[in-house]
Amino acid sequence: MTESVTAAALTGVGQELAAAREARALALADVAQQLKFAPRQLEALEAEQFSALPGATFARGMVRSYARL
Protein backbone atom coordinates (compact mmCIF):
# COMPACT_ATOMS: atom_id res chain seq x y z
CA MET A 1 0.00 0.00 0.00
CA THR A 2 1.19 3.47 -0.76
CA GLU A 3 1.26 6.19 1.82
CA SER A 4 -1.57 8.18 0.18
CA VAL A 5 -3.83 5.13 -0.02
CA THR A 6 -3.16 4.37 3.63
CA ALA A 7 -3.87 7.98 4.62
CA ALA A 8 -7.13 7.98 2.62
CA ALA A 9 -8.22 4.76 4.30
CA LEU A 10 -7.63 6.27 7.74
CA THR A 11 -9.13 9.72 7.18
CA GLY A 12 -11.87 9.17 4.60
CA VAL A 13 -12.33 10.45 1.11
CA GLY A 14 -14.08 13.67 2.14
CA GLN A 15 -11.30 14.72 4.45
CA GLU A 16 -8.69 13.89 1.82
CA LEU A 17 -10.47 16.01 -0.79
CA ALA A 18 -10.83 18.91 1.65
CA ALA A 19 -7.16 18.68 2.61
CA ALA A 20 -6.07 18.65 -1.04
CA ARG A 21 -8.30 21.65 -1.79
CA GLU A 22 -6.89 23.58 1.17
CA ALA A 23 -3.31 22.66 0.22
CA ARG A 24 -3.91 24.27 -3.17
CA ALA A 25 -5.45 27.35 -1.49
CA LEU A 26 -8.78 26.88 -3.28
CA ALA A 27 -12.01 28.10 -1.74
CA LEU A 28 -15.01 25.81 -1.74
CA ALA A 29 -16.84 28.31 -3.97
CA ASP A 30 -13.99 28.16 -6.52
CA VAL A 31 -14.17 24.37 -6.70
CA ALA A 32 -17.96 24.47 -6.95
CA GLN A 33 -17.76 26.92 -9.84
CA GLN A 34 -15.15 24.86 -11.71
CA LEU A 35 -17.02 21.58 -11.25
CA LYS A 36 -20.48 23.11 -11.74
CA PHE A 37 -21.77 21.73 -8.42
CA ALA A 38 -23.53 23.61 -5.65
CA PRO A 39 -21.30 24.52 -2.71
CA ARG A 40 -23.70 22.70 -0.36
CA GLN A 41 -23.13 19.49 -2.34
CA LEU A 42 -19.37 19.81 -1.97
CA GLU A 43 -19.77 20.58 1.73
CA ALA A 44 -21.79 17.36 2.10
CA LEU A 45 -19.14 15.46 0.16
CA GLU A 46 -16.29 16.78 2.31
CA ALA A 47 -18.29 16.00 5.46
CA GLU A 48 -18.95 12.51 4.05
CA GLN A 49 -22.71 13.00 4.33
CA PHE A 50 -23.47 10.98 1.22
CA SER A 51 -27.16 10.69 2.14
CA ALA A 52 -27.50 14.44 1.41
CA LEU A 53 -26.52 13.81 -2.22
CA PRO A 54 -28.97 12.68 -4.92
CA GLY A 55 -27.67 9.12 -5.18
CA ALA A 56 -24.71 6.76 -5.03
CA THR A 57 -23.93 7.03 -8.74
CA PHE A 58 -24.00 10.81 -8.56
CA ALA A 59 -21.81 10.86 -5.45
CA ARG A 60 -19.28 8.55 -7.09
CA GLY A 61 -19.11 10.86 -10.12
CA MET A 62 -18.66 13.88 -7.86
CA VAL A 63 -15.78 12.22 -6.03
CA ARG A 64 -14.16 11.34 -9.34
CA SER A 65 -14.53 14.88 -10.72
CA TYR A 66 -13.31 16.45 -7.49
CA ALA A 67 -10.28 14.14 -7.36
CA ARG A 68 -9.33 15.00 -10.94
CA LEU A 69 -9.49 18.70 -10.15
Side-chain angles (χ1 to χ4, degrees):
M1 256 183 172
T2 65
E3 185 176 315
S4 62
V5 172
T6 304
L10 294 175
T11 60
V13 69
Q15 292 175 355
E16 285 293 312
L17 291 172
R21 175 181 57 80
E22 292 167 357
R24 288 167 181 76
L26 293 172
L28 193 65
D30 296 332
V31 174
Q33 184 178 18
Q34 289 181 26
L35 295 178
K36 310 255 188 289
F37 292 125
R40 64 178 167 73
Q41 291 174 316
L42 294 179
E43 288 171 357
L45 187 63
E46 287 184 357
E48 298 180 24
Q49 297 174 342
F50 300 111
S51 61
L53 300 172
T57 303
F58 185 75
R60 190 172 32 233
M62 285 183 68
V63 170
R64 189 176 326 141
S65 296
Y66 200 162
R68 284 183 189 152
L69 178 70

